Amino acid sequence: MNKKRTVKPKALKPSNRLFLVVADDSKELHQALYYAARRAATAGGEIALFRCIEPVEGQLWGGVSEIMEAETEQASKILLEKLSNYCEKLGAPKPRTFVRKGTVHEELFNLIDSEESIRVLVLGVSTEHGNPGPLINYIINKGSNECRVPITIVPGNLSDEQIDALI
């Protein structure tokens, strides 16, 4: 006897795509963050914000460098909270935040390697002087072999409306 078996389609699971954005002080951060937040909002994904506190250059008295590091840490927390609120206004869930100390590209790749949920790295490219920026230069020249996730590079000259048209 040949019975037809009906298979119910599985309920779609929400996307577990985590879009990682480097929260630096560049002008093109806006485009990368806007793209990632809108993409996460429309695809059911999430945002992760990464901020790296680089070591203080030069030799300072211990107390001075500790104060500078504490001030930088506090400023980073304030920035990440501001960026998180902005992502939520764009429809994305509250972002996860990661603050690391060290060299940006090393800590970035360490984070990507340790957080399996990260699916895409989103970077904004500088439009100044034809130089895409130090992190993108590093990734293009050396780091692309180190990165286990796709990299989305968002041109820094795109308007929000142009980005919306891409999503």
Side-chain angles (χ1 to χ4, degrees):
M1 210 189 282
N2 231 353
K3 284 187 179 180
K4 285 189 178 180
R5 207 171 125 196
T6 351
V7 179
K8 288 185 181 179
K10 292 182 182 179
L12 292 176
K13 292 181 182 178
S15 169
N16 61 351
R17 277 188 256 180
L18 188 59
F19 296 89
L20 178 62
V21 178
V22 177
D24 57 14
D25 299 317
S26 67
K27 291 179 184 177
E28 56 274 7
L29 167 61
H30 173 80
Q31 283 78 12
L33 187 62
Y34 187 87
Y35 175 88
R38 295 297 298 137
R39 187 78 179 101
T42 59
E46 296 178 69
I47 303 287
L49 300 172
F50 166 74
R51 178 81 173 173
C52 189
I53 299 172
E54 295 194 85
V56 178
E57 289 186 30
Q59 294 201 355
L60 299 171
W61 293 328
V64 173
S65 55
E66 286 175 15
I67 291 170
M68 288 176 69
E69 190 173 294
E71 288 174 350
T72 303
E73 236 175 286
Q74 185 60 29
S76 293
K77 289 177 183 176
I78 291 169
L79 174 66
L80 291 172
E81 184 63 31
K82 179 181 164 187
L83 296 175
S84 292
N85 291 337
Y86 180 67
C87 288
E88 288 181 281
K89 286 179 185 173
L90 294 173
K94 184 163 185 71
R96 297 185 210 176
T97 58
F98 298 93
V99 178
R100 301 279 173 96
K101 294 178 184 176
T103 306
V104 175
H105 66 270
E106 288 175 8
E107 293 305 319
L108 176 63
F109 291 122
N110 287 341
L111 174 64
I112 290 170
D113 288 341
S114 66
E115 290 293 324
E116 291 181 19
S117 57
I118 295 172
R119 298 286 184 253
V120 179
L121 172 61
V122 180
L123 300 171
V125 63
S126 174
T127 58
E128 294 181 17
H129 310 297
N131 182 354
L135 187 55
I136 292 178
N137 276 336
Y138 176 83
I139 290 172
I140 290 170
N141 293 317
K142 298 176 187 171
S144 60
N145 292 334
E146 295 177 42
C147 196
R148 68 163 184 79
V149 298
I151 302 165
T152 299
I153 298 177
V154 183
N157 61 350
L158 293 181
S159 68
D160 293 352
E161 293 77 20
Q162 290 171 314
I163 293 171
D164 282 335
L166 295 172
I167 306 290

